[in-house]
Amino acid sequence: MISRKLIKVALLGVWAVFMAGWLVYGIQSRTVATSAAEPSAPKGTEVAYNQDDYVGSDTCATCHEDQFKAFSKTKHSKLTQVKDWKDKAKGCESCHGPGRAHVEEADPTKIISFKDKTAKQVSESCLTCHAGKEDHNNFRRSEHLRNNVGCTDCHSPHGSPNHPTKVGSITYPAIDSEDNPGPATVKMLKVSEPQLCMSCHQQTKAQFSQPFHHKVLEGQMKCSDCHNAHGGFELKNARLSVGADAVCVKCHTDKQGPFVYEHLPITTEGCATCHNTHGSTNPKMLKRNQVRQLCLECHTAIFDSPAPGVPSFHRQDNASYQNCTNCHVRIHGSNTHPAFFR
Ligand code: HEC
Ligand code: HEC
Ligand code: HEC
Ligand code: HEC
Ligand code: HEC
Ligand code: HEC
Ligand code: HEC
Ligand code: HEC
Ligand code: HEC
Ligand code: HEC
C-alpha cells in the first residue's frame, strides 16, 4: 500500500511540474503571438512587414479561386471576425505573407511559398499561432515531427474542398465518392480517421482486424480517442493524463479504482501489460491464449518478482485450478477481498 501511495504522489508531482511548465509555456507563447503587431511570418523569414503590403484574400481570390473557395469555409477565414484575431490574422497572407509585390509584379517568387519547405518549416509557420494551444505544445518533440511528419501531412492548409458541412466519415473502407466521403471535412483533415492514420500505420489495420478488437474499423471509435496525434508526455503518443491508464478508464470506468485491494501491475505497469489494445486473437484482447499463461508469467516462484508464486494447493494438473479468473474474479482490483474473489 505504501509503495502504491508513493507512486501516486510521485506521479502527481511529475504531473504538477508538467502542468506548471505547460502554463508558463502557454502564456509565454501566447504573449509572443499576441503582442506582435503583425502575424508572424514563418521562422527564418522574419521581416518587418508594412500594413500596406497586404492586399487581402479577396484579391488573391481573383487568380487562385480553388484555394480561396476551400479556404473560405475554414475557421481560418473567419478569424478576421474574431475579436482577439481581428488585427492579427490576414487571411491568405497569415501564412503566405504580404502579397502586394506578388500581385503587382505577377511574380511567383515574391510570395512565401511552401513548395521547398520541409515538414518542420511548414509546421513552424503553423506553430507561430498554434504553439500556445495546450494540444500542440508538445508537437515539436512528438514522434511525428521528429520523424518529419508535419501539420500538413494530416491537415489540408486550405481546408477540404468537399462536403464542408458533413461530419467526417470514420467508416472503413473509404471509397471516395459523393455519398461516401473519404476526405475528411472536420478539423481540416486531409482524410478521415482511421484512414488518415492507417495510410502510414498500415500494420494497425491487421491488428484491428483480429477476432477481438476495438471497433475502429467499424467506425465506432477513432485512433484519436486513445492517441494524441500532436504528441504528449506519454509514450506512444497516448492520450493520458495522470498514470498510464487514464485513456482506458475514460471508457472502462469500472476499472479505474482506487480499490482497497489493488492488483499491482494495473496501477504500475498499465493495461497494456495484459491486453493488446488494438486487437488480439485471444478473447478479451488478452496477450496470451490462456489466462493461466498470462498469470504465471509473473506468479512464478522461480523468478525474482514482487508477485507471489501460486500457493501449492493450486495443482496445475488439476483442471479446476487452471482457469484462474474463475475464482480470482475481480482481477482488476477488489474492495472486499485481498485475493480478488469478489
Ligand atoms: C494577378 C493574379 C494573381 C494574384 C492576384 C495572386 N496571385 Fe498568386 N500566383 C499567380 C501566378 C500566375 C502564380 C504562378 C503560377 C501558379 O503557381 O499558379 C502564382 C503563384 C502563387 C503561389 C505559389 C508560389 C510557388 O511558386 O509555390 C502562391 C503561394 C500564391 N500565388 C499565393 C498568392 C496569394 C496569397 C495571393 C494574395 C495575396 C495571390 N497569390 C494573389 C497569380 C496571382
Ligand atoms: C494556414 C496557412 C495557409 C493559409 C491561410 C493559406 N495557405 Fe496557401 N498554402 C499553405 C501551405 C502550407 C501550402 C503548401 C501546399 C501544401 O502543403 O499542401 C500552400 C500552397 C498554396 C499555393 C500553391 C499551390 C498549392 O495549392 O499547393 C497557392 C497558390 C496558395 N497556397 C494560395 C493560397 C490562397 C489564395 C490563400 C487564401 C485564399 C491561401 N493560400 C491561404 C498554407 C496556407
Ligand atoms: C494567424 C494565426 C494562425 C496560423 C498561421 C495558423 N492557424 Fe490554424 N487556427 C488559428 C486559429 C485562431 C484557429 C481557431 C482556433 C479555435 O477556434 O479554437 C485555428 C484553427 C485551426 C484548425 C481547426 C479547424 C477546425 O475546423 O476546427 C486547424 C486544423 C488548424 N488551425 C491548422 C493549422 C495549420 C495546419 C496551420 C499551418 C499550415 C495553421 N493552422 C496556421 C490560427 C492560425
Ligand atoms: C498525425 C496527424 C496530425 C498531425 C501531424 C497534426 N494533426 Fe492536428 N489533428 C489531427 C487529428 C486526427 C485531429 C482531430 C482530433 C479529433 O477529432 O479530436 C486534429 C485536430 C487539430 C486541431 C483542432 C483541435 C480541436 O481541439 O478542435 C487543430 C487546431 C490542429 N489539429 C492543428 C494542428 C497543427 C497546428 C499541427 C502542426 C503543428 C497539427 N495539427 C498536426 C491530426 C494531426
Ligand atoms: C504521413 C504519415 C503518418 C500519418 C498520416 C500518421 N502517422 Fe503516426 N507516425 C508516423 C511516423 C513516421 C511515426 C514515427 C515512426 C514510427 O514509430 O512508426 C509515427 C508515430 C506514431 C505513434 C508513436 C509510435 C511510437 O512508437 O511511439 C503513434 C501512436 C502514431 N504515430 C499514431 C498516429 C495516429 C493516431 C495518426 C492519425 C491521426 C497518425 N499516427 C498519422 C507517420 C504517420
Ligand atoms: C483503445 C485505445 C487505442 C486505439 C483506439 C488505438 N490505439 Fe494505438 N495504441 C494504444 C496503446 C495503449 C498503445 C501502446 C501499446 C503498448 O505500449 O504496448 C498503442 C500503440 C500504438 C502504436 C505504436 C506501435 C507499437 O507497436 O509500439 C501506433 C503506431 C499506434 N498505436 C497507432 C494507432 C492507430 C493508427 C490507430 C487507429 C487506426 C490506433 N493506434 C488506435 C491504444 C490505442
Ligand atoms: C472510447 C472508449 C474506449 C476507450 C478509450 C477504450 N475502450 Fe476498451 N472497449 C470499448 C468498447 C465500447 C468495448 C466493447 C465493444 C467492442 O467490442 O468494441 C471495449 C472493449 C474492450 C475489451 C474487451 C472486453 C470484452 O468483453 O471482450 C478490453 C479488454 C478493453 N476494451 C480494454 C481497453 C484498454 C486496455 C483500453 C486503453 C488502452 C481501452 N479499452 C480503451 C471502449 C473503449
Ligand atoms: C494483470 C493482467 C491485467 C491487467 C494489467 C489488466 N487486465 Fe483487463 N483483464 C485481464 C483478464 C485476465 C481478463 C479476463 C477476465 C476473465 O476471464 O473473466 C480481463 C478482462 C478485461 C475486460 C473485459 C471483462 C471485464 O471485466 O469487463 C476489460 C474491459 C478489461 N479487462 C479492461 C482493462 C483495463 C481498462 C485495464 C487497465 C486499467 C486492464 N484491463 C488491465 C487481465 C488484466
Ligand atoms: C505483470 C505481472 C502480473 C501478472 C501478469 C499477474 N499478476 Fe497478480 N500480482 C502481481 C503483483 C506484482 C502482485 C502484488 C503482490 C503484492 O502486493 O505484494 C499481484 C497480486 C496478485 C494476487 C494477490 C496476492 C495477495 O494475496 O496479495 C492475486 C490473487 C493475483 N495477483 C492473481 C493473479 C492472476 C489470477 C493473474 C492472471 C489473470 C495475475 N495475477 C496476473 C503481478 C502480476
Ligand atoms: C478454485 C479456485 C481457484 C483457482 C481456479 C485459482 N486460485 Fe488462486 N487462490 C485460491 C485460494 C482459495 C487462494 C487463497 C486465498 C487466501 O489466502 O485468502 C488463492 C491464492 C492465490 C494467490 C495468492 C498467493 C499469496 O501468497 O498471497 C495467487 C498469486 C493465486 N492464487 C494465483 C492464482 C493463479 C495464477 C491461478 C491460475 C493458475 C489461480 N490462482 C487459480 C483459489 C483459486
mmCIF file of all heavy atoms in Angstrom, residues 18-36 40 43 85 88 127-134 137 140:
data_model
loop_
_atom_site.group_PDB
_atom_site.id
_atom_site.type_symbol
_atom_site.label_atom_id
_atom_site.label_comp_id
_atom_site.label_asym_id
_atom_site.label_seq_id
_atom_site.Cartn_x
_atom_site.Cartn_y
_atom_site.Cartn_z
ATOM 1 N N PHE A 18 4.744 19.317 -14.782
ATOM 2 C CA PHE A 18 4.406 19.453 -16.201
ATOM 3 C C PHE A 18 3.368 20.533 -16.418
ATOM 4 O O PHE A 18 3.483 21.369 -17.297
ATOM 5 C CB PHE A 18 3.874 18.131 -16.749
ATOM 6 C CG PHE A 18 4.963 17.190 -17.167
ATOM 7 C CD1 PHE A 18 4.779 15.829 -17.052
ATOM 8 C CD2 PHE A 18 6.168 17.663 -17.674
ATOM 9 C CE1 PHE A 18 5.766 14.943 -17.432
ATOM 10 C CE2 PHE A 18 7.168 16.787 -18.055
ATOM 11 C CZ PHE A 18 6.961 15.441 -17.924
ATOM 12 N N MET A 19 2.329 20.494 -15.570
ATOM 13 C CA MET A 19 1.257 21.459 -15.739
ATOM 14 C C MET A 19 1.788 22.876 -15.583
ATOM 15 O O MET A 19 1.434 23.766 -16.348
ATOM 16 C CB MET A 19 0.146 21.206 -14.709
ATOM 17 C CG MET A 19 -0.707 19.988 -15.004
ATOM 18 S SD MET A 19 -1.348 19.979 -16.675
ATOM 19 C CE MET A 19 -2.673 21.184 -16.492
ATOM 20 N N ALA A 20 2.670 23.050 -14.586
ATOM 21 C CA ALA A 20 3.241 24.372 -14.366
ATOM 22 C C ALA A 20 4.016 24.800 -15.607
ATOM 23 O O ALA A 20 3.864 25.913 -16.112
ATOM 24 C CB ALA A 20 4.143 24.346 -13.135
ATOM 25 N N GLY A 21 4.797 23.852 -16.127
ATOM 26 C CA GLY A 21 5.584 24.145 -17.318
ATOM 27 C C GLY A 21 4.681 24.520 -18.473
ATOM 28 O O GLY A 21 4.908 25.504 -19.168
ATOM 29 N N TRP A 22 3.639 23.756 -18.610
ATOM 30 C CA TRP A 22 2.664 23.996 -19.658
ATOM 31 C C TRP A 22 2.117 25.405 -19.605
ATOM 32 O O TRP A 22 2.073 26.134 -20.574
ATOM 33 C CB TRP A 22 1.507 23.035 -19.425
ATOM 34 C CG TRP A 22 1.229 22.152 -20.578
ATOM 35 C CD1 TRP A 22 1.702 22.315 -21.847
ATOM 36 C CD2 TRP A 22 0.435 20.970 -20.597
ATOM 37 N NE1 TRP A 22 1.247 21.289 -22.629
ATOM 38 C CE2 TRP A 22 0.473 20.459 -21.902
ATOM 39 C CE3 TRP A 22 -0.310 20.307 -19.647
ATOM 40 C CZ2 TRP A 22 -0.203 19.318 -22.264
ATOM 41 C CZ3 TRP A 22 -0.974 19.177 -20.020
ATOM 42 C CH2 TRP A 22 -0.925 18.680 -21.314
ATOM 43 N N LEU A 23 1.672 25.751 -18.386
ATOM 44 C CA LEU A 23 1.071 27.056 -18.186
ATOM 45 C C LEU A 23 2.024 28.162 -18.579
ATOM 46 O O LEU A 23 1.706 29.018 -19.387
ATOM 47 C CB LEU A 23 0.693 27.216 -16.713
ATOM 48 C CG LEU A 23 -0.754 26.826 -16.385
ATOM 49 C CD1 LEU A 23 -0.983 26.929 -14.897
ATOM 50 C CD2 LEU A 23 -1.694 27.733 -17.147
ATOM 51 N N VAL A 24 3.227 28.075 -18.009
ATOM 52 C CA VAL A 24 4.214 29.115 -18.283
ATOM 53 C C VAL A 24 4.470 29.179 -19.781
ATOM 54 O O VAL A 24 4.451 30.233 -20.401
ATOM 55 C CB VAL A 24 5.521 28.825 -17.521
ATOM 56 C CG1 VAL A 24 6.598 29.789 -17.967
ATOM 57 C CG2 VAL A 24 5.284 28.922 -16.030
ATOM 58 N N TYR A 25 4.669 27.991 -20.363
ATOM 59 C CA TYR A 25 4.978 27.929 -21.786
ATOM 60 C C TYR A 25 3.833 28.519 -22.604
ATOM 61 O O TYR A 25 4.020 29.323 -23.493
ATOM 62 C CB TYR A 25 5.220 26.481 -22.190
ATOM 63 C CG TYR A 25 5.650 26.324 -23.617
ATOM 64 C CD1 TYR A 25 6.865 26.849 -24.053
ATOM 65 C CD2 TYR A 25 4.844 25.663 -24.528
ATOM 66 C CE1 TYR A 25 7.257 26.704 -25.355
ATOM 67 C CE2 TYR A 25 5.234 25.512 -25.843
ATOM 68 C CZ TYR A 25 6.445 26.039 -26.264
ATOM 69 O OH TYR A 25 6.824 25.897 -27.566
ATOM 70 N N GLY A 26 2.613 28.094 -22.227
ATOM 71 C CA GLY A 26 1.440 28.573 -22.951
ATOM 72 C C GLY A 26 1.331 30.081 -22.886
ATOM 73 O O GLY A 26 1.156 30.738 -23.901
ATOM 74 N N ILE A 27 1.514 30.625 -21.686
ATOM 75 C CA ILE A 27 1.383 32.060 -21.522
ATOM 76 C C ILE A 27 2.453 32.772 -22.329
ATOM 77 O O ILE A 27 2.181 33.709 -23.064
ATOM 78 C CB ILE A 27 1.487 32.447 -20.029
ATOM 79 C CG1 ILE A 27 0.243 31.958 -19.294
ATOM 80 C CG2 ILE A 27 1.638 33.942 -19.869
ATOM 81 C CD1 ILE A 27 0.395 31.945 -17.792
ATOM 82 N N GLN A 28 3.692 32.239 -22.231
ATOM 83 C CA GLN A 28 4.778 32.868 -22.979
ATOM 84 C C GLN A 28 4.479 32.911 -24.464
ATOM 85 O O GLN A 28 4.543 33.943 -25.102
ATOM 86 C CB GLN A 28 6.071 32.091 -22.764
ATOM 87 C CG GLN A 28 6.831 32.561 -21.546
ATOM 88 C CD GLN A 28 8.065 31.725 -21.347
ATOM 89 O OE1 GLN A 28 8.291 30.740 -22.041
ATOM 90 N NE2 GLN A 28 8.880 32.118 -20.396
ATOM 91 N N SER A 29 4.115 31.724 -25.019
ATOM 92 C CA SER A 29 3.945 31.726 -26.461
ATOM 93 C C SER A 29 2.763 32.581 -26.856
ATOM 94 O O SER A 29 2.741 33.160 -27.909
ATOM 95 C CB SER A 29 3.794 30.311 -27.018
ATOM 96 O OG SER A 29 3.471 29.425 -26.002
ATOM 97 N N ARG A 30 1.760 32.627 -25.966
ATOM 98 C CA ARG A 30 0.620 33.451 -26.300
ATOM 99 C C ARG A 30 1.000 34.921 -26.306
ATOM 100 O O ARG A 30 0.593 35.672 -27.185
ATOM 101 C CB ARG A 30 -0.503 33.199 -25.302
ATOM 102 C CG ARG A 30 -1.807 33.021 -26.019
ATOM 103 C CD ARG A 30 -2.831 32.439 -25.133
ATOM 104 N NE ARG A 30 -3.094 31.068 -25.505
ATOM 105 C CZ ARG A 30 -3.790 30.243 -24.757
ATOM 106 N NH1 ARG A 30 -4.258 30.620 -23.608
ATOM 107 N NH2 ARG A 30 -4.000 29.030 -25.163
ATOM 108 N N THR A 31 1.810 35.301 -25.315
ATOM 109 C CA THR A 31 2.214 36.699 -25.264
ATOM 110 C C THR A 31 2.964 37.053 -26.532
ATOM 111 O O THR A 31 2.736 38.084 -27.150
ATOM 112 C CB THR A 31 3.127 36.972 -24.054
ATOM 113 O OG1 THR A 31 2.826 36.021 -23.064
ATOM 114 C CG2 THR A 31 2.948 38.355 -23.536
ATOM 115 N N VAL A 32 3.867 36.153 -26.915
ATOM 116 C CA VAL A 32 4.639 36.430 -28.123
ATOM 117 C C VAL A 32 3.705 36.607 -29.306
ATOM 118 O O VAL A 32 3.780 37.572 -30.041
ATOM 119 C CB VAL A 32 5.634 35.269 -28.401
ATOM 120 C CG1 VAL A 32 6.277 35.450 -29.751
ATOM 121 C CG2 VAL A 32 6.685 35.244 -27.314
ATOM 122 N N ALA A 33 2.752 35.626 -29.402
ATOM 123 C CA ALA A 33 1.878 35.647 -30.566
ATOM 124 C C ALA A 33 0.989 36.885 -30.582
ATOM 125 O O ALA A 33 0.789 37.488 -31.616
ATOM 126 C CB ALA A 33 1.006 34.397 -30.599
ATOM 127 N N THR A 34 0.498 37.278 -29.397
ATOM 128 C CA THR A 34 -0.479 38.348 -29.419
ATOM 129 C C THR A 34 0.146 39.732 -29.335
ATOM 130 O O THR A 34 -0.462 40.693 -29.743
ATOM 131 C CB THR A 34 -1.482 38.196 -28.258
ATOM 132 O OG1 THR A 34 -0.734 37.950 -27.074
ATOM 133 C CG2 THR A 34 -2.439 37.067 -28.504
ATOM 134 N N SER A 35 1.368 39.814 -28.812
ATOM 135 C CA SER A 35 1.946 41.147 -28.687
ATOM 136 C C SER A 35 2.556 41.596 -30.013
ATOM 137 O O SER A 35 2.799 42.762 -30.232
ATOM 138 C CB SER A 35 3.012 41.173 -27.591
ATOM 139 O OG SER A 35 4.063 40.317 -27.959
ATOM 140 N N ALA A 36 2.773 40.648 -30.915
ATOM 141 C CA ALA A 36 3.325 41.032 -32.204
ATOM 142 C C ALA A 36 2.280 41.837 -32.956
ATOM 143 O O ALA A 36 1.118 41.463 -33.011
ATOM 144 C CB ALA A 36 3.708 39.789 -33.004
ATOM 145 N N SER A 40 3.097 36.600 -37.371
ATOM 146 C CA SER A 40 4.470 36.193 -37.584
ATOM 147 C C SER A 40 4.610 35.453 -38.893
ATOM 148 O O SER A 40 3.786 34.612 -39.236
ATOM 149 C CB SER A 40 4.915 35.292 -36.451
ATOM 150 O OG SER A 40 4.405 35.772 -35.244
ATOM 151 N N LYS A 43 9.244 30.979 -39.535
ATOM 152 C CA LYS A 43 10.580 31.141 -38.969
ATOM 153 C C LYS A 43 11.631 31.211 -40.061
ATOM 154 O O LYS A 43 11.559 30.479 -41.039
ATOM 155 C CB LYS A 43 10.896 29.971 -38.042
ATOM 156 C CG LYS A 43 10.270 30.115 -36.683
ATOM 157 C CD LYS A 43 11.353 30.222 -35.599
ATOM 158 C CE LYS A 43 10.855 30.957 -34.366
ATOM 159 N NZ LYS A 43 9.768 30.250 -33.704
ATOM 160 N N TRP A 85 -8.358 38.113 -32.821
ATOM 161 C CA TRP A 85 -7.524 37.890 -34.010
ATOM 162 C C TRP A 85 -7.701 38.959 -35.078
ATOM 163 O O TRP A 85 -6.979 38.976 -36.069
ATOM 164 C CB TRP A 85 -7.845 36.512 -34.609
ATOM 165 C CG TRP A 85 -7.329 35.420 -33.751
ATOM 166 C CD1 TRP A 85 -8.038 34.726 -32.816
ATOM 167 C CD2 TRP A 85 -5.996 34.913 -33.706
ATOM 168 N NE1 TRP A 85 -7.226 33.810 -32.198
ATOM 169 C CE2 TRP A 85 -5.971 33.905 -32.722
ATOM 170 C CE3 TRP A 85 -4.811 35.205 -34.398
ATOM 171 C CZ2 TRP A 85 -4.813 33.181 -32.413
ATOM 172 C CZ3 TRP A 85 -3.668 34.490 -34.101
ATOM 173 C CH2 TRP A 85 -3.670 33.499 -33.115
ATOM 174 N N LYS A 88 -4.701 40.599 -36.319
ATOM 175 C CA LYS A 88 -3.516 39.759 -36.453
ATOM 176 C C LYS A 88 -3.610 38.759 -37.586
ATOM 177 O O LYS A 88 -2.618 38.424 -38.209
ATOM 178 C CB LYS A 88 -3.284 39.007 -35.134
ATOM 179 C CG LYS A 88 -2.610 39.872 -34.111
ATOM 180 C CD LYS A 88 -2.693 39.248 -32.743
ATOM 181 C CE LYS A 88 -3.530 40.074 -31.784
ATOM 182 N NZ LYS A 88 -4.297 39.241 -30.869
ATOM 183 N N LEU A 127 2.810 26.799 -36.078
ATOM 184 C CA LEU A 127 3.011 26.912 -34.635
ATOM 185 C C LEU A 127 3.193 28.356 -34.175
ATOM 186 O O LEU A 127 3.073 28.642 -32.989
ATOM 187 C CB LEU A 127 4.201 26.051 -34.193
ATOM 188 C CG LEU A 127 3.931 24.529 -34.217
ATOM 189 C CD1 LEU A 127 5.217 23.741 -34.049
ATOM 190 C CD2 LEU A 127 2.918 24.128 -33.148
ATOM 191 N N THR A 128 3.459 29.271 -35.093
ATOM 192 C CA THR A 128 3.536 30.666 -34.661
ATOM 193 C C THR A 128 2.222 31.061 -33.996
ATOM 194 O O THR A 128 2.210 31.868 -33.083
ATOM 195 C CB THR A 128 3.823 31.629 -35.841
ATOM 196 O OG1 THR A 128 2.859 31.389 -36.859
ATOM 197 C CG2 THR A 128 5.225 31.458 -36.386
ATOM 198 N N CYS A 129 1.132 30.499 -34.462
ATOM 199 C CA CYS A 129 -0.152 30.766 -33.800
ATOM 200 C C CYS A 129 -0.578 29.626 -32.884
ATOM 201 O O CYS A 129 -1.209 29.849 -31.868
ATOM 202 C CB CYS A 129 -1.250 30.994 -34.837
ATOM 203 S SG CYS A 129 -1.044 32.456 -35.845
ATOM 204 N N HIS A 130 -0.256 28.388 -33.275
ATOM 205 C CA HIS A 130 -0.843 27.247 -32.564
ATOM 206 C C HIS A 130 -0.039 26.746 -31.372
ATOM 207 O O HIS A 130 -0.541 25.914 -30.627
ATOM 208 C CB HIS A 130 -1.083 26.089 -33.530
ATOM 209 C CG HIS A 130 -2.296 26.280 -34.388
ATOM 210 N ND1 HIS A 130 -3.566 26.068 -33.923
ATOM 211 C CD2 HIS A 130 -2.428 26.700 -35.673
ATOM 212 C CE1 HIS A 130 -4.439 26.328 -34.891
ATOM 213 N NE2 HIS A 130 -3.773 26.713 -35.965
ATOM 214 N N ALA A 131 1.187 27.213 -31.216
ATOM 215 C CA ALA A 131 2.014 26.621 -30.163
ATOM 216 C C ALA A 131 1.453 26.869 -28.776
ATOM 217 O O ALA A 131 1.642 26.070 -27.873
ATOM 218 C CB ALA A 131 3.439 27.137 -30.258
ATOM 219 N N GLY A 132 0.756 27.970 -28.597
ATOM 220 C CA GLY A 132 0.221 28.289 -27.282
ATOM 221 C C GLY A 132 -0.899 27.366 -26.862
ATOM 222 O O GLY A 132 -1.251 27.284 -25.700
ATOM 223 N N LYS A 133 -1.463 26.659 -27.823
ATOM 224 C CA LYS A 133 -2.579 25.767 -27.519
ATOM 225 C C LYS A 133 -2.071 24.524 -26.818
ATOM 226 O O LYS A 133 -1.147 23.875 -27.272
ATOM 227 C CB LYS A 133 -3.282 25.372 -28.812
ATOM 228 C CG LYS A 133 -4.147 26.463 -29.380
ATOM 229 C CD LYS A 133 -5.482 26.466 -28.678
ATOM 230 C CE LYS A 133 -6.592 26.738 -29.674
ATOM 231 N NZ LYS A 133 -7.899 26.621 -29.078
ATOM 232 N N GLU A 134 -2.746 24.185 -25.754
ATOM 233 C CA GLU A 134 -2.403 23.024 -24.947
ATOM 234 C C GLU A 134 -2.088 21.778 -25.790
ATOM 235 O O GLU A 134 -1.118 21.082 -25.565
ATOM 236 C CB GLU A 134 -3.627 22.716 -24.107
ATOM 237 C CG GLU A 134 -3.355 22.059 -22.796
ATOM 238 C CD GLU A 134 -4.652 21.899 -22.045
ATOM 239 O OE1 GLU A 134 -5.315 20.889 -22.288
ATOM 240 O OE2 GLU A 134 -4.980 22.792 -21.241
ATOM 241 N N ASN A 137 1.434 22.089 -27.732
ATOM 242 C CA ASN A 137 2.685 22.419 -27.066
ATOM 243 C C ASN A 137 3.752 21.370 -27.273
ATOM 244 O O ASN A 137 4.933 21.666 -27.294
ATOM 245 C CB ASN A 137 2.445 22.540 -25.563
ATOM 246 C CG ASN A 137 2.014 23.929 -25.198
ATOM 247 O OD1 ASN A 137 2.279 24.856 -25.954
ATOM 248 N ND2 ASN A 137 1.356 24.068 -24.084
ATOM 249 N N ARG A 140 6.448 19.781 -31.160
ATOM 250 C CA ARG A 140 7.841 19.844 -31.601
ATOM 251 C C ARG A 140 8.637 18.624 -31.173
ATOM 252 O O ARG A 140 9.562 18.217 -31.845
ATOM 253 C CB ARG A 140 8.514 21.115 -31.076
ATOM 254 C CG ARG A 140 8.023 22.371 -31.781
ATOM 255 C CD ARG A 140 8.908 23.564 -31.455
ATOM 256 N NE ARG A 140 8.438 24.767 -32.115
ATOM 257 C CZ ARG A 140 7.641 25.672 -31.531
ATOM 258 N NH1 ARG A 140 7.218 25.501 -30.294
ATOM 259 N NH2 ARG A 140 7.264 26.737 -32.196
#
